[in-house]
Amino acid sequence: MRATVEARRDLGPEYEAALIESFVSRLDATIAHRVRAEMDAAGAPKVKPRKGANPSIPIALGSMGIGIPLTAIAAQSAGTAGLLLAWGGIVAINFAHALSRWRERD
């Protein structure tokens, strides 16, 4: 922390945000390292990521939940063009998510 404060004095206030971000990042890494060391020393079991979880389900349900009121608002306000634009955005978000999941498999 002292080094960060000294660097701020030398560099000036325009670098303050970058210095704070750097300090917080180093502090976070130090805390994470200490927590891992404590857990290893205590013999805590390693947490494995769930393989059965499917993040596509919340995206699909969220799209439907947003799509229903968005359909009513867009159709009333802008007619067919608004309806197509609203659902085009929802389809684009779902397509981007599917594409990212497909790239993760490779």
Side-chain angles (χ1 to χ4, degrees):
M1 188 164 121
R2 288 182 185 143
T4 302
V5 171
E6 289 297 321
R8 192 222 179 260
R9 284 187 196 141
D10 292 342
L11 296 174
E14 58 271 1
Y15 290 99
E16 186 170 324
L19 289 169
I20 290 171
E21 188 174 315
S22 172
F23 175 72
V24 169
S25 177
R26 287 188 311 231
L27 184 62
D28 187 39
T30 302
I31 291 170
H33 177 72
R34 287 182 182 175
V35 167
R36 269 186 253 118
E38 294 268 337
M39 290 179 69
D40 288 343
K46 303 267 184 197
V47 177
K48 295 180 184 176
R50 292 180 9 189
K51 291 184 181 180
N54 187 355
S56 297
I57 292 173
I59 297 288
L61 293 175
S63 294
M64 294 306 295
I66 291 172
I68 293 169
L70 197 59
T71 298
I73 294 168
Q76 184 179 19
S77 299
T80 305
L83 186 66
L84 292 174
L85 183 64
W87 276 99
I90 292 172
V91 168
I93 290 169
N94 281 279
F95 182 75
H97 174 71
L99 187 61
S100 72
R101 296 277 299 156
W102 180 68
R103 287 184 177 170
E104 285 177 4
R105 289 186 212 162
D106 292 342

